[in-house]
């Protein structure tokens, strides 16, 4: 299209616009002069150049910043992670050696303590059981008269060694100037001596010879004339006392020993042996009837008041007399002794009366 034609076209459009045809919209045709188009193209080129320059600058700036990040040291930074979903708790089991050791030591102490208590209870129970059994045996033997089975028999020598040190020889000076001899034995360690009444009867002075041959004066403490028993006392203490047995346990045939001073010989301790012939022999002393132990062991004048012992070295009777026949002669193998159970009751009464 030539410039003339373009101008004519523009003028026609202008007329149409200026006449204002309301029914038919006029086509709006932008008339651009060549100079305007050129200016527009120039401006578009300028804008594109500026945009290209800005893009290049931005790229160059980004490249520079990237190089700086690569060359400069990294600063501390925090990594932010997204919040994880809530999970169920997990339990971790770790072995604490110190706590485990302390626990083990505590358990060991508890075990030792329980063991100690158990041992103490067992030992106490065993002790009580043994004590109860021993007490039962002693009671049973005492009641049934079988005490001899609880011990072994002693020989005559052993019985003598056990009893002789606790016996004494007694010499009584009488009012008429005469002497009477007999035997006694310690019933208490502080010098109390048991003997027969007829040994000290009508005596004014009393002399005692100990087993070690020492001779000392004695004092008459008390007597029981009707029971033919008396008590003397010497000064001093720690004298050997005779072991007292149970005369109710004596049986016929039991071995017995008589220890004393026959015929009043100074320092002549003697021992004779025999058996129990009877445990219930009736005899009369001072018009009073007694039940005596009878023995066939040899008894002589001077043995009166001495101990009749069993084969365990225990005193079971107090030798008191020798039976006589119808002619007044001494009967051989017919000796009598007061049962020790009865004799001790009477001697205790004498001591009580003496203290009152």
């Amino acid at each position: 299209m030539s410039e003339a034609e373009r101008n004519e076209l523009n003028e026609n459009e202008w007329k149409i616009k200026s006449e204002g045809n309301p029914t038919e919209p006029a086509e709006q045709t932008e008339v651009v002069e060549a100079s305007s188009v050129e200016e527009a193209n120039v401006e578009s080129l300028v804008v594109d150049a500026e945009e290209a320059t800005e893009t290049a600058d931005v790229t160059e700036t980004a490249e520079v910043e990237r190089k700086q990040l690569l060359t400069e040291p990294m600063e501390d930074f925090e990594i932010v992670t997204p919040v994880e979903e809530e999970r169920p708790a997990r339990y971790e089991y770790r072995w604490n050696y110190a706590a485990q050791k302390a626990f083990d030591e505590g358990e060991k102490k508890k075990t030792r303590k329980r063991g100690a208590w158990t041992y103490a209870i067992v030992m106490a129970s065993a002790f009580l059981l043994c004590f109860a059994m021993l007490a039962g045996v002693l009671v049973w033997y005492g009641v049934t008269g079988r005490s001899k089975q609880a011990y072994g028999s002693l020989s005559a020598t052993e019985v003598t060694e056990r009893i002789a040190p606790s016996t004494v020889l007694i010499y009584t000076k009488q009012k008429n100037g005469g002497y009477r001899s007999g035997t006694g034995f310690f019933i208490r360690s502080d010098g109390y001596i048991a003997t027969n009444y007829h040994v000290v009867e009508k005596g004014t002075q009393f002399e005692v010879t100990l087993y070690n041959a020492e001779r000392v004066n004695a004092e008459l403490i008390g007597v029981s004339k009707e029971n033919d028993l008396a008590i003397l006392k010497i000064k001093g203490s720690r004298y050997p006392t005779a072991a007292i047995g149970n005369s109710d346990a004596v049986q016929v045939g039991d071995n017995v020993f008589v220890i004393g001073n026959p015929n009043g010989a100074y320092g002549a301790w003697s021992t004779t042996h025999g058996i129990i012939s009877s445990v219930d022999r009736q005899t009369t002393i001072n018009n009073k009837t007694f039940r005596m132990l009878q023995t066939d062991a040899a008894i002589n004048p001077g043995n009166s008041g001495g101990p009749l012992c069993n084969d365990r070295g225990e005193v079971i009777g107090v030798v008191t007399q020798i039976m006589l026949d119808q002619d007044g002669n001494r009967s051989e193998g017919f000796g009598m002794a007061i049962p020790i159970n009865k004799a001790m009751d009477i001697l205790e009464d004498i001591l009580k009366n003496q203290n009152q």
Side-chain angles (χ1 to χ4, degrees), residues 41-350:
N41 294 333
V42 171
E43 290 176 1
S44 176
L45 294 174
V46 172
V47 170
D48 293 339
E50 290 178 356
E51 292 178 356
T53 303
E54 292 178 359
T55 302
D57 292 340
V58 170
T59 303
E60 184 178 358
T61 301
E63 182 66 20
V64 171
E65 291 178 354
R66 188 180 69 80
K67 291 181 179 180
Q68 289 179 353
L69 291 174
L70 294 175
T71 55
E72 293 179 359
M74 295 180 64
E75 298 180 357
D76 296 337
F77 61 92
E78 180 181 0
I79 299 175
V80 180
T81 57
V83 179
E84 296 182 357
E85 296 180 359
E86 185 177 355
R87 297 180 180 179
R90 294 186 303 172
Y91 297 93
E92 296 183 357
Y93 299 92
R94 298 181 181 180
W95 183 34
N96 190 325
Y97 178 77
Q100 183 67 40
K101 184 177 180 181
F103 176 79
D104 293 341
E105 291 294 330
E107 290 298 316
K108 289 180 180 179
K109 290 181 179 180
K110 291 179 181 179
T111 302
R112 287 195 295 267
K113 188 175 182 179
R114 288 194 295 266
W117 275 106
T118 302
Y119 178 79
I121 292 173
V122 171
M123 293 301 295
S125 300
F127 175 78
L128 292 176
L129 180 60
C130 292
F131 180 79
M133 292 176 62
L134 177 60
V137 169
L138 293 177
V139 170
W140 185 82
Y141 280 132
V143 171
T144 61
R146 301 292 180 179
S147 59
K148 62 175 296 180
Q149 298 178 7
Y151 308 93
S153 298
L154 301 178
S155 65
T157 301
E158 292 170 330
V159 171
T160 302
E161 291 175 350
R162 179 169 294 189
I163 294 296
S166 63
T167 61
V168 297
L169 309 183
I170 301 172
Y171 297 91
T172 301
K173 183 178 181 180
Q174 296 179 315
K175 293 180 181 180
N176 59 8
Y179 285 87
R180 180 175 292 180
S181 65
T183 306
F185 57 94
F186 285 107
I187 58 174
R188 283 174 46 173
S189 62
D190 52 353
Y192 287 87
I193 301 168
T195 188
N196 284 144
Y197 166 72
H198 71 263
V199 173
V200 298
E201 184 179 8
K202 299 178 181 180
T204 57
Q205 293 181 356
F206 308 96
E207 183 183 85
V208 171
T209 301
L210 304 179
Y211 188 69
N212 60 6
E214 181 182 0
R215 300 170 69 177
V216 295
N217 293 325
E219 175 188 1
L220 182 63
I221 297 300
V223 300
S224 176
K225 181 178 179 180
E226 63 273 16
N227 295 294
D228 196 22
L229 290 170
I231 295 179
L232 296 173
K233 184 181 186 308
I234 63 175
K235 295 180 180 180
S237 60
R238 296 185 179 181
Y239 294 107
T241 59
I244 305 300
N246 180 13
S247 57
D248 293 337
V250 177
Q251 297 180 0
V252 174
D254 286 350
N255 290 319
V256 291
F257 303 88
V258 174
I259 300 175
N261 178 22
N263 298 321
Y266 281 98
W269 266 261
S270 68
T271 300
T272 57
H273 170 254
I275 63 170
I276 292 293
S277 304
S278 175
V279 296
D280 193 19
R281 172 67 65 176
Q282 293 186 8
T283 186
T284 301
I285 300 177
N286 296 325
N287 298 321
K288 185 176 181 180
T289 301
F290 289 92
R291 295 184 179 276
M292 297 284 194
L293 298 176
Q294 178 185 339
T295 179
D296 65 349
I299 296 176
N300 298 292
N303 284 125
S304 295
L308 175 69
C309 307
N310 59 21
D311 58 1
R312 294 183 298 280
E314 299 170 339
V315 178
I316 58 172
V318 180
V319 175
T320 187
Q321 67 177 357
I322 304 169
M323 295 295 292
L324 303 178
D325 59 19
Q326 295 179 352
D327 298 330
N329 298 320
R330 186 173 59 184
S331 298
E332 296 295 335
F334 209 126
M336 296 293 179
I338 303 172
I340 194 61
N341 289 7
K342 179 178 178 60
M344 290 303 298
D345 291 339
I346 296 169
L347 294 172
E348 290 293 337
D349 289 338
I350 295 173

